[in-house]
Amino acid sequence: MEIATLIGGIGIFLLGMTLLTDTLKKWAGTRLRHRLNQFTDGSLSGATLGAMLTTLFQSSSVTTLMTIGFVSAGLLTFTQSLPLVIGANVGSATTGWIIAILGYNLDVRQLFLPIIGIGMAFRLSRPRLRRVGLLLVSIGLIFVGIGTLQEAMRDVVTFSFGSAGEMTVLHQALLIGVGFLMTAVLQSSTIGLVLTMTALATAAISLPQAAYLVLGQSAGTSLVVALGSIGGWKSARRIVLGHAIYHVSIVLIGWLTFPVLFEVVNRVADWFNWNDLLRLALFHTTFHLLGVILFLPFYQTFARRLLKWVPSRSEKLTRLLDTNMSQLPTVALEAARRSLLEIERYLGNETEFLVREGRLREDELTLVDKTLSDVRVFLSTIRLEDEGKQNDYGQHLSLLHTIDHLERWLYVLREVEPLHALRDTDFLAARELVLHELDLVNQLNHHTPPEDSKLWKQASKQLAEYRKAHRSELLEETAANQLEMDQTIQKVQVLLWLDRIGYHIWRATRHLIKPTVPSERFDVNRED
């Protein structure tokens, strides 16, 4: 029965943690997204935010995975994300203090069972109180789970790691390995910490043994984060790698300095006459604070190293963009133009692959989508001066036109199933015209003269004439019963598809290499 109680206690604790995390993410998620950049301007503020989020969600893994999501969505840069990841570990230490102060000094189930009842009453009442109710229920379940674990551990735990004085290096490594496995299996260092503190409270393990287990549990969070970020962008892989390097490093530092660190913690605890649970909470906090002190001053250097180890294609396409340029509109606009040139060449290569091979690489198109969004955001930061900046206005307008046509080009690529569109051999001439335009795009550079835009214009107009002529022929053949209606619709779609690709290639290129001037802007709009 004790084993069943132990399993039930873990289940209740997990249920409470899941409810707490989900409730707080829904409650605070929108506000957090809007305020992220305000809190991540500096290393200390970023670390503080990471610690606050972990304290809120009671899980450093959740904070790290949320950070990965923020970076992938473009709400944070990779460099801004590192202080959050580093600070998240300090926030995880609050769990130990809560358990040490409340978890075992009184019967928490008697205290928190009524809170679950109150929470459910709120949950079933007015809509505004439902989230408050879920919050109370989740907190109550967490501490009821802790109380159940405490009761079960007294009878279940019969093992021993040996006395603290007999610990060898191999013994220490074994304890760290066990701690790592606890986090890996339970998918939460918080649950591992709760079990460790429960075992310590029931005298199943000694304080030094518990401290080594805590070291291993910290390293185990890297595996949890890695599993949670599978399939992510390069930014996710960088954060996972940084997270792993950081945790392995601080575990090694904690292991090597353990005698000194443990002695300092015990001396401080002796002043306050603390019990073993409070001493373990202090060790856990001190250990993570040591990691922050050692890593935070050098996080930018660490970030640059990770960027080099895990390069990103999206950042290569937008590497010229720097928000500090916003005070120099002419320079910033030229940086945006050159970025869009690289993005267009990249999109041109993907379009050529599609036309020749008949396969659409959605991941690559998503990458183009993301980088176009980055350029659009960058352009929104540029503030043009009123006097003497008409040329900058025209350049800005042209770049917005370019983004619009590149996005429409992307839309057209996804509009027709490539195999259906490209297996038809009736329109080889139209395909060759598109390929000719793409070949010209591949030769684009920031020195391409404006008058060369006529090359794309000529090819696009030939495509339009070809489409009009063959569309009429197709309709005539259908009327004469030489073609089925379904065949006609499919062939017309192919023609329109090729024509529209060619048109947007021309217009995007024209705006890039021949910026609009204010006097002609209304004519340009009509031409579009």
Side-chain angles (χ1 to χ4, degrees):
M1 288 300 293
E2 289 79 9
I3 293 290
T5 304
L6 179 64
I7 295 171
I10 294 173
I12 294 170
F13 182 83
L14 277 173
L15 177 60
M17 288 294 298
T18 303
L19 276 175
L20 179 66
T21 301
D22 291 345
T23 302
L24 289 174
K25 277 198 292 188
K26 290 176 183 177
W27 204 348
T30 303
R31 292 180 182 178
L32 288 174
R33 284 167 170 78
H34 287 300
R35 297 186 181 272
L36 273 175
N37 282 291
Q38 297 176 4
F39 285 98
T40 53
D41 288 338
S43 58
L44 187 59
S45 58
T48 303
L49 178 60
M52 289 169 57
L53 289 175
T54 302
T55 302
L56 195 64
F57 298 120
Q58 285 298 290
S59 173
S60 61
S61 299
V62 169
T63 300
T64 305
L65 291 172
M66 285 178 65
T67 303
I68 289 172
F70 294 146
V71 174
S72 298
L75 297 171
L76 287 179
T77 65
F78 168 69
T79 303
Q80 285 177 316
S81 72
L82 280 184
L84 267 75
V85 173
I86 293 171
N89 296 281
V90 178
S92 67
T94 58
T95 306
W97 289 105
I98 293 171
I99 295 169
I101 294 169
L102 296 177
Y104 301 106
N105 292 335
L106 47 84
D107 189 347
V108 290
R109 285 177 294 185
Q110 291 184 9
L111 178 64
F112 283 93
L113 274 172
I115 290 179
I116 296 176
I118 295 169
M120 283 307 300
F122 284 177
R123 178 71 179 87
L124 299 173
S125 63
R126 293 181 297 174
R128 291 184 179 181
L129 295 176
R130 287 177 184 174
R131 284 183 180 173
V132 176
L134 277 178
L135 187 65
L136 292 175
V137 169
S138 61
I139 292 171
L141 286 172
I142 287 171
F143 285 98
V144 168
I146 289 171
T148 306
L149 285 170
Q150 177 188 8
E151 179 185 348
M153 290 290 277
R154 291 195 184 97
D155 299 318
V156 171
V157 179
T158 58
F159 63 85
S160 173
F161 286 114
S163 64
E166 298 174 355
M167 282 196 293
T168 63
V169 173
L170 182 62
H171 197 171
Q172 294 167 7
L174 175 63
L175 285 165
I176 291 173
V178 170
F180 179 89
L181 288 175
M182 287 174 72
T183 300
V185 172
L186 297 170
Q187 288 292 288
S188 171
S189 61
T190 302
I191 302 173
L193 178 62
V194 170
L195 290 175
T196 300
M197 297 190 83
T198 304
L200 179 62
T202 54
I205 57 176
S206 65
L207 178 59
Q209 291 166 344
Y212 279 113
L213 286 172
V214 165
L215 287 178
Q217 288 159 8
S218 176
T221 58
S222 297
L223 182 61
V224 177
V225 169
L227 292 174
S229 63
I230 289 175
W233 289 82
K234 286 287 182 69
S235 55
R237 297 178 213 170
R238 281 201 209 106
I239 295 175
V240 169
L241 179 60
H243 191 270
I245 292 173
Y246 172 74
H247 279 84
V248 170
S249 298
I250 64 172
V251 167
L252 288 174
I253 292 169
W255 189 4
L256 293 173
T257 62
F258 186 86
V260 175
L261 191 62
F262 194 70
E263 179 65 23
V264 170
V265 167
N266 273 323
R267 288 196 178 187
V268 172
D270 287 341
W271 293 341
F272 298 100
N273 196 28
W274 282 350
N275 60 26
D276 281 353
L277 288 175
L278 289 168
R279 288 169 190 263
L280 183 60
L282 179 60
F283 175 82
H284 191 215
T285 304
T286 307
F287 159 61
H288 284 304
L289 281 175
L290 179 63
V292 171
I293 292 168
L294 292 175
F295 268 81
L296 199 58
F298 310 103
Y299 84 96
Q300 290 183 327
T301 303
F302 187 34
R304 286 194 294 270
R305 184 64 60 182
L306 289 168
L307 287 168
K308 185 177 179 180
W309 289 341
V310 189
S312 169
R313 291 169 297 168
S314 64
E315 284 163 359
K316 285 182 179 179
L317 293 174
T318 56
R319 68 186 185 281
L320 300 173
L321 305 183
D322 184 348
T323 52
N324 294 323
M325 294 180 184
S326 60
Q327 303 302 317
L328 302 169
T330 303
V331 177
L333 290 169
E334 179 59 20
R337 189 180 79 90
R338 295 192 183 200
S339 295
L340 288 173
L341 276 169
E342 294 195 26
I343 293 170
E344 182 174 340
R345 282 201 298 264
Y346 195 92
L347 181 57
N349 289 333
E350 286 307 306
T351 306
E352 182 177 355
F353 179 83
L354 170 60
V355 172
R356 293 189 186 279
E357 303 294 331
R359 287 194 293 120
L360 189 71
R361 296 191 288 206
E362 181 58 36
D363 286 349
E364 307 300 326
L365 300 189
T366 302
L367 173 67
V368 174
D369 240 339
K370 181 180 183 301
T371 52
L372 285 175
S373 177
D374 291 341
V375 178
R376 190 187 290 278
V377 171
F378 177 77
L379 287 174
S380 70
T381 66
I382 301 173
R383 294 292 177 264
L384 301 180
E385 298 175 9
D386 294 333
E387 297 180 3
K389 294 296 179 181
Q390 288 187 338
N391 289 335
D392 286 347
Y393 172 82
Q395 179 74 283
H396 196 223
L397 181 61
S398 286
L399 295 180
L400 292 176
H401 275 295
T402 300
I403 293 173
D404 179 52
H405 283 291
L406 290 174
E407 288 177 340
R408 291 200 229 174
W409 178 354
L410 268 173
Y411 178 81
V412 174
L413 291 183
R414 291 165 164 153
E415 195 173 31
V416 176
E417 175 60 40
L419 289 177
H420 294 309
L422 298 171
R423 72 165 60 122
D424 198 322
T425 58
D426 289 351
F427 308 124
L428 289 176
R431 288 175 57 187
E432 289 303 316
L433 284 169
V434 171
L435 290 171
H436 173 62
E437 282 194 76
L438 293 172
D439 184 55
L440 292 172
V441 167
N442 195 44
Q443 300 172 38
L444 267 178
N445 59 65
H446 57 275
H447 295 305
T448 301
E451 57 268 21
D452 280 6
S453 64
K454 64 185 179 184
L455 300 174
W456 285 272
K457 181 177 181 179
Q458 183 180 0
S460 178
K461 288 192 176 296
Q462 287 177 341
L463 264 171
E465 292 167 3
Y466 184 93
R467 185 252 307 163
K468 291 174 185 177
H470 281 72
R471 178 175 175 273
S472 298
E473 290 178 7
L474 288 169
L475 294 176
E476 288 173 7
E477 289 176 7
T478 305
N481 294 322
Q482 294 176 5
L483 274 178
E484 296 292 332
M485 182 59 71
D486 289 344
Q487 287 181 295
T488 302
I489 292 173
Q490 184 177 329
K491 287 179 179 290
V492 169
Q493 282 183 334
V494 173
L495 273 173
L496 287 172
W497 187 71
L498 291 168
D499 183 28
R500 290 168 68 194
I501 289 175
Y503 174 77
H504 292 302
I505 294 172
W506 162 42
R507 297 309 298 159
T509 309
R510 183 254 183 251
H511 284 293
L512 267 180
I513 66 175
K514 188 180 179 182
T516 304
V517 295
S519 60
E520 68 169 309
R521 65 182 184 270
F522 298 111
D523 293 335
V524 170
N525 286 338
R526 283 202 297 269
E527 189 177 1
D528 283 348

